[in-house]
Amino acid sequence: MLVLLPPSEGKAASGRGAPLKPESLSLPGLAEARAAVLEELVELCQADEEKARDVLGLSVGLRGEVAKNAELRTAGTRPAGELYTGVLYDALDLGSLGAEARRRAGRSLLVFSGLWGAVRVGDRIPPYRCSMGVKLPALGALGAYWRAPMAQVLPEVAGGGLVLDLRSAAYAAAWKPGGEVAERTASVRVLHARMVDGVEKRSVVSHFNKATKGRLVRDLLVAGARPTGPAELVEALRDLGYAVEAEAPARAGRSWSLDVVVTEIH
């Protein structure tokens, strides 16, 4: 099982290990593309703070993020699973997993990134600020920039098993599974169901959507679930107590759509 995750804007304030070693990162097929993004981002942030803030979409109060980007090559690093601290990662709580579940996380979880393309949770990276929605002056929109290298690398990474896609739209733009990989892919959204004047209403709640996805992944890791395809994933999630509605693709080469329906927000 390969689980595709978005990163988070929230990150640990600083690294605490050795500086970045690009050659140590997983998915070496992305190395050349990573180097190009890293070079332009560092140069931009070293040369002109105001321009960098504008390109990165940062307020004056976040100018410190520009300074961090300027020092990416020498800054301390952390495993990606520790670096990201947003809602999804708080709910996933990788640090409290048992040894076997942590090993499963290292093998299964892939975090998409505007800067790195995609990394595994054990890859050591420094704190940074560069979303997939950024448009760098020379490389252009990162969502589009990453499509070609991702198309070369990700099908092999996906192997022959299930792909569980929990990415937000901006990060999903960087790689869309195609062909038979798509047929083994399940995209998940979380819907909050509530009764209004006797009628059930459903809505997506951003914060809760992220938290539920984090708990969902954690539960699969702890249970040691090994679904081989979307249909088996539906059964595994139902066994774990989730209310899941599944929609199989209408034709070949398309992915499955799964709704996880919840009635309580927490």
Side-chain angles (χ1 to χ4, degrees), residues 34-138:
R34 287 171 177 151
V37 179
L38 179 63
E39 180 177 5
E40 182 171 0
L41 182 62
V42 169
E43 289 182 358
L44 171 69
C45 292
Q46 288 178 342
D48 188 333
E49 179 189 294
E50 293 303 312
K51 181 177 180 181
R53 283 201 301 105
D54 182 60
V55 169
L56 297 172
L58 302 176
S59 66
V60 174
L62 292 174
R63 61 163 58 94
E65 301 297 298
V66 175
K68 287 181 181 179
N69 283 349
E71 304 298 327
L72 282 171
R73 291 194 178 94
T74 57
T77 59
R78 290 175 181 261
E82 295 180 12
L83 182 75
Y84 297 113
T85 60
V87 174
L88 187 154
Y89 293 90
D90 286 347
L92 177 54
D93 196 10
L94 288 169
S96 69
L97 290 174
E100 185 55 38
R102 195 176 297 120
R103 283 192 287 271
R104 294 186 195 106
R107 294 191 300 265
S108 301
L109 308 186
L110 198 64
V111 184
F112 276 61
S113 162
L115 173 54
W116 313 113
V119 293
R120 296 200 183 273
V121 292
D123 287 337
R124 299 191 67 94
I125 54 177
Y128 69 95
R129 190 67 170 250
C130 185
S131 73
M132 194 66 80
V134 164
K135 184 177 182 180
L136 292 175

Side-chain angles (χ1 to χ4, degrees), residues 143-211:
Y145 170 81
W146 281 111
R147 285 175 196 155
M150 291 287 193
Q152 292 293 319
V153 172
L154 267 294
E156 182 177 353
V157 176
L162 168 71
V163 178
L164 173 55
D165 192 351
L166 302 178
R167 297 172 296 168
S168 56
Y171 291 89
W175 182 57
K176 182 178 180 180
E180 63 92 18
V181 178
E183 295 171 10
R184 293 185 276 106
T185 298
S187 298
V188 174
R189 64 175 180 172
V190 179
L191 298 179
H192 177 218
R194 65 196 190 282
M195 299 302 293
V196 178
D197 297 328
V199 178
E200 183 183 80
K201 302 289 186 180
R202 294 183 176 183
S203 61
V204 176
V205 182
S206 178
H207 181 283
F208 182 63
N209 173 58
K210 295 174 183 177

Side-chain angles (χ1 to χ4, degrees), residues 91 190 207-217 242 260 262:
V190 179
H207 181 283
F208 182 63
N209 173 58
K210 295 174 183 177
T212 301
K213 286 179 177 178
R215 286 192 288 269
L216 180 153
V217 173
Y242 290 92
V260 174
V262 298

